[in-house]
Amino acid sequence: MKAIYDLLLQQRAQGKKSLAVLIDPDKIEKLSELLSQAKLFPPDFFFVGGSLLSEGKLEKCIQQIRASSSLPIILFPGNEMQISSTADALLLLSVISGRNPELLIGRHVAAAGIIHKSGLEIISTGYMLIESGAPTAVSYISNTQPIPRDKKSIAALTALAGEQLGMKLIYLEAGSGAMFPVPVEMIETVRKNITIPIITGGGIKTKSEIIERCRAGADVIVIGNVLEENPVLLKEFSGALNSLNKV
Ligand code: 1GP
């Protein structure tokens, strides 16, 4: 398989936007239905992970996706226990919006050996939590404060620092099930200040929210909750991406 990061850069160079479906292995009641929809209306990637996995279903979940699809599977780990060599790549997240040293370097040191042995493609990712209307699982679990929604310049400088530190992606995260997705204006400002690809997710529920965020400069849109609840929405969401990519 072509290296996933190279693929992202290539797509970015062509102005192509991507859709990633986030699957939380703890919530896979409708996974078969979602995978059937993904055959008909394929996203670009599957992301797999969650803030807290309590049921040890990561491997089973990856196997189930593999059995039904040849799309890349990217780990989006809530912690170092969510690493599996059966995926294709790992977003190595550093929570650069926060000041929790464990999530900036501590856990990375603990997991470095396992990650190295996994053979996964490692994509160093500056992960930025953005305030989204109410506390989210990710802000609670990470024990960090999100960047206020109206502080575009803090977000832009944080993303720029991430790029200067050598990170390959910036992930603007409102949090799973967020009340409000990351503001469009914030994505626009971050886009103007960095050159690396931008991923955004958290609380995105509609086609227009996808389109606005892509137009603002996001390269990858991640959707979890609404597709978990209602897999048939994938048709509409991948249609939105296709319409943007045709222009
Ligand atoms: C990925 O956490 C998000 O960044 C997914 O959020 O579950 O709200 O779509 P939703």
Side-chain angles (χ1 to χ4, degrees), residues 20-24 27 47 49 51 76 127 138 171-179 199-205 221-229:
V21 171
L22 174 64
I23 296 175
D24 179 336
K27 303 186 205 158
F47 282 10
S51 291
F76 174 51
Y127 189 58
V138 63
Y171 197 132
L172 298 175
E173 170 72 282
S176 190
M179 196 180 282
I199 300 185
T200 191
I204 297 176
K205 301 181 196 72
I221 301 288
V222 186
I223 304 195
N225 267 283
V226 282
L227 287 172
E228 252 160 43
E229 285 155 20

Side-chain angles (χ1 to χ4, degrees), residues 9-54:
L9 289 182
Q10 194 183 39
Q11 291 183 345
R12 173 155 164 62
Q14 296 165 349
K16 182 175 178 298
K17 309 294 182 176
S18 307
L19 178 66
V21 171
L22 174 64
I23 296 175
D24 179 336
D26 269 2
K27 303 186 205 158
I28 51 174
E29 294 79 20
K30 294 194 182 169
L31 182 56
S32 311
E33 195 183 336
L34 182 55
L35 291 171
S36 306
Q37 290 297 315
K39 278 189 187 157
L40 300 172
F41 311 104
D44 296 274
F45 307 105
F46 286 107
F47 282 10
V48 179
S51 291
L52 201 63
L53 298 191
S54 51

Side-chain angles (χ1 to χ4, degrees), residues 1-5 7-12 14-23 34-35 37-48 65-66 69-75 88-89 121 123 198-200 210 214 218-223 227 234-246:
M1 180 178 292
K2 190 171 168 49
I4 288 165
Y5 188 65
L7 189 71
L8 268 175
L9 289 182
Q10 194 183 39
Q11 291 183 345
R12 173 155 164 62
Q14 296 165 349
K16 182 175 178 298
K17 309 294 182 176
S18 307
L19 178 66
V21 171
L22 174 64
I23 296 175
L34 182 55
L35 291 171
Q37 290 297 315
K39 278 189 187 157
L40 300 172
F41 311 104
D44 296 274
F45 307 105
F46 286 107
F47 282 10
V48 179
I65 301 169
R66 277 275 186 250
S69 167
S70 56
L71 293 173
I73 301 176
I74 304 180
L75 296 174
D88 298 303
E121 178 184 344
I123 307 176
I198 296 175
I199 300 185
T200 191
I210 295 176
C214 288
D219 300 287
V220 183
I221 301 288
V222 186
I223 304 195
L227 287 172
L234 187 55
K235 178 179 180 183
E236 189 177 323
F237 294 165
S238 57
L241 269 287
N242 290 339
S243 66
L244 281 169
N245 289 333
K246 266 188 208 131

Side-chain angles (χ1 to χ4, degrees), residues 11-246:
Q11 291 183 345
R12 173 155 164 62
Q14 296 165 349
K16 182 175 178 298
K17 309 294 182 176
S18 307
L19 178 66
V21 171
L22 174 64
I23 296 175
D24 179 336
D26 269 2
K27 303 186 205 158
I28 51 174
E29 294 79 20
K30 294 194 182 169
L31 182 56
S32 311
E33 195 183 336
L34 182 55
L35 291 171
S36 306
Q37 290 297 315
K39 278 189 187 157
L40 300 172
F41 311 104
D44 296 274
F45 307 105
F46 286 107
F47 282 10
V48 179
S51 291
L52 201 63
L53 298 191
S54 51
E55 300 187 30
K57 290 187 189 152
L58 179 67
E59 290 299 336
K60 200 175 147 219
C61 177
I62 295 173
Q63 276 168 21
Q64 198 174 339
I65 301 169
R66 277 275 186 250
S68 133
S69 167
S70 56
L71 293 173
I73 301 176
I74 304 180
L75 296 174
F76 174 51
N79 61 50
E80 63 272 32
M81 274 128 69
Q82 297 176 26
I83 293 168
S84 164
S85 57
T86 59
D88 298 303
L90 166 75
L91 296 187
L92 184 59
L93 306 175
S94 195
V95 186
I96 60 174
S97 54
R99 298 296 178 265
N100 177 348
E102 280 302 300
L103 301 184
L104 289 164
I105 183 64
R107 301 276 190 88
H108 308 72
V109 174
I114 303 172
I115 292 174
H116 183 65
K117 282 197 196 116
S118 72
L120 291 163
E121 178 184 344
I122 298 164
I123 307 176
S124 168
T125 302
Y127 189 58
M128 295 173 46
L129 299 182
I130 310 300
E131 195 269 317
S132 59
T136 58
V138 63
S139 60
Y140 176 77
I141 298 284
S142 68
N143 199 15
T144 65
Q145 268 187 28
I147 295 176
R149 310 181 49 76
D150 59 343
K151 301 292 183 226
K152 295 181 289 187
S153 57
I154 296 180
L157 289 171
T158 306
L160 181 60
E163 179 168 359
Q164 289 168 344
L165 282 165
M167 288 164 184
K168 293 179 169 175
L169 291 177
I170 290 296
Y171 197 132
L172 298 175
E173 170 72 282
S176 190
M179 196 180 282
F180 307 116
V182 174
V184 170
E185 305 73 35
M186 184 178 274
I187 298 173
E188 261 164 11
T189 308
V190 171
R191 177 73 286 156
K192 285 186 192 134
N193 284 274
I194 62 169
T195 63
I196 53 179
I198 296 175
I199 300 185
T200 191
I204 297 176
K205 301 181 196 72
T206 65
K207 192 173 152 179
S208 61
E209 287 170 340
I210 295 176
I211 293 175
E212 287 168 349
R213 281 159 185 77
C214 288
R215 293 208 171 120
D219 300 287
V220 183
I221 301 288
V222 186
I223 304 195
N225 267 283
V226 282
L227 287 172
E228 252 160 43
E229 285 155 20
N230 198 358
V232 293
L233 284 173
L234 187 55
K235 178 179 180 183
E236 189 177 323
F237 294 165
S238 57
L241 269 287
N242 290 339
S243 66
L244 281 169
N245 289 333
K246 266 188 208 131

